[in-house]
Amino acid sequence: MRKALHILTFVFFLFPVIQAQESNQSLITIKLNDVRFDEFAKLMKSDYQIQIYYRSEWLENIKVSTTGEAKSIENLLDEIFKPYGIQYFHQGNNQIFVTGPDAVIDLSRLKSLTNIQVLADSADNSSDKELFRAHSYERKVRKVVIGGDNPAQGRRKVFINGRISNITNGESVIGATVVVSGTSIGAITDANGAFTLPLQSGQSYNVQISCLGMENETYLMDVNGPGILNIEMQSKLIDVKEVVVKSGINHNVRGMQMGFQRIGTKEIKSIPAVMGERDIFKVATLMPGVQTVGEGSAGFNVRGSASDQNLFLLNEIPILNTGHLFGFFSAFNPDMISDFKLYKSNFPVEFGGRLASVFEISTRKGNKKEFGARGSISPVTASILLETPIVKDKSSFIFSTRSSYSDWILNRLEDSDLYNREASFYDIMTGIHMVSDNNASTQIFGYYSKDRFSLSTSNLYGYENIGASVIYNRPLKGKWTINAAGIFSSYTNRQANMDRATRAFEHQFNVRSQEVKFTVSAYPLVRHKVGFGGNAILHNLDQGILQPYGEESIIAPIDFGKENGLEYALHIFDEITITDKLSFYGGLRYSMFNHLESKQHYSGPEIRAAFNLTISKDLSVKTSYNRMRQYLFMLSNSVSISPTDRWKLTNSYITPPVSDQISLGLYKNFNNSSLETSVELYYKKGQNIIEYKDGADLTF
């Protein structure tokens, strides 16, 4: 009884204290003299956690003066705004939305707008349309409620999943920036146009969506629980008198990536055409640290590494030869490409198998609104692309093919060494993309390319790429998202040598792989992302049989044999914003390889780590460390990639090459991010690097 009395007495005296504290939390005690409004807004955010949303042009002439008397935020703003006729409303947890001059807002009516709609057109009667008039907060603000009409009891972390598409054709908008104003929360859409925002329920948020070449969108979002927000963006017409191109504002400063370049759909369309073709790989050679290995070659040296140390992925399909006609043309139809990424350092932990770089290429998904077709013809090539919805807004089919007709040019040349020679290629890409009601995305993709040429009387060459992939992406229950893929690829090379009739031969080899991979990611905290996954690749190499060519050849057949290897890996990662200034990315990939003929086993950890110290909104310092391993490599007796190159697996005689890279970078933007600058220093060390004698005969 005495113990209970003590507890009641404690609560009795504590209750007024709690009430006083709660009351004081809503009071502002600050003394200012002719301070600009933007400085006042910064003080409210830093000292009282009150976020004020406004347009600068409305308040640029307003000076704030206060006496230091304790006042509520509403009374303080009334004193500041009343002389200027500025209106505002207070919503959610300490969020103030300034609505401009002469716009009276009824908060209860504003909250009743529960569907995604333009506020200015949200009601039929004229009085409701006065909610947002010409001078309102934003004429294109859309109001949306996520997670049901009833606010959740208490606050909890929830996840908003969504996809962004083009309103005209339903294509995924890749690389769009989704930013929650007044916070460090944001996302960039992936190859499927998908994004995830970790937010707190029971609050309202101002969400800004932007993308190059698209009209900006603004959403005023009430979050009552987890849900889906799918957004359609409108293409923007740009006045040719002035073109302003901006990437995600300050993303190069705030993001974790180093040694990273990206080319989107709009930039691909602006690439200058050479002989009627746009080649993204020619643009890649203009990027820092990337050099072509020579004219008329498909190879690249990235930060001093050999050309076979680059991983080229087309919708997850590894491509071993990326050029047509010795690299004069890209192996990928530019009309089909929607996104191109190049990683030179700070590799995401899900990538492995190469030492130098990753070229990640995504294709278009197809028009989900209406049928479309396009074609082109140039002096050397012709192409056609067809796309159509299967189920409107839900699924689409796309097909493209491209072929050369360069033989007729060679046949008209007077040079006897070129007359009557053959040089031709064609490629085919096709795909089906489906989006379900739960925002799951499935892409089925196929690729085929073939080259054949003979530029002298002594040699014939031919090679082909075949690939297929099924990519599945889905937000799981709660905070989880899964990405999974099944991949098949095959590269075949054929060669015939007729230099000497008695020694004439023909030879074919094939590199084939089958792969499964997955990554599961989640947000345990609002600014904390974790994930795990794995992959397994079965390599099958058939080195082929060297056979005599022609009746006069006396060469005996030679079988170079087959070899098989299993490459597999597990990975985990953790990306966290420790403070507003410091972010960290850490990952561990443990890769393993079994050479199935010799029973040789190799394995080892591949550590990935990166820090970003943001000094100001337009200045940051980044550092990263990466370790990579490579189990499949190329035999070459020339500097550049050529049709005579062979591919080989590590075995009991050949230890896998390993590369360690440390990078340090300074990133600075000028003139409101219209000018981006960066300086990166790196140190790269290779072990077990394989070299071959110059001029070695790799066939015999």
Side-chain angles (χ1 to χ4, degrees), residues 9-24:
T9 305
F10 175 76
V11 172
F12 176 79
F13 284 104
L14 181 63
F15 184 70
V17 176
I18 295 175
Q19 281 191 316
Q21 288 179 345
E22 291 179 348
S23 178
N24 289 337

Side-chain angles (χ1 to χ4, degrees), residues 256-310:
M256 293 299 300
Q257 282 298 337
M258 300 180 65
F260 174 77
Q261 272 82 37
R262 182 175 197 161
I263 302 175
T265 304
K266 301 299 179 182
E267 294 93 334
I268 291 172
K269 291 181 179 179
S270 66
I271 295 174
V274 179
M275 300 185 70
E277 292 284 334
R278 295 181 175 89
D279 190 345
I280 58 173
F281 292 124
K282 293 296 186 291
V283 177
T285 61
L286 303 177
M287 298 178 179
V290 182
Q291 294 84 33
T292 179
V293 298
E295 293 298 328
S297 173
F300 298 98
N301 297 132
V302 178
R303 291 189 170 180
S305 297
S307 54
D308 69 326
Q309 296 176 7
N310 306 310

Side-chain angles (χ1 to χ4, degrees), residues 451-497:
D451 280 68
R452 179 178 173 84
F453 48 89
S454 61
L455 299 181
S456 69
T457 59
S458 59
N459 293 91
L460 293 173
Y461 300 103
Y463 56 88
E464 65 181 17
N465 288 293
I466 303 174
S469 65
V470 178
I471 304 172
Y472 182 74
N473 169 275
R474 180 184 176 181
L476 302 177
K477 185 177 181 181
K479 56 191 177 184
W480 298 95
T481 300
I482 185 170
N483 291 276
I487 305 120
F488 168 82
S489 69
S490 175
Y491 171 65
T492 302
N493 183 297
R494 302 177 181 89
Q495 176 189 5
N497 186 303

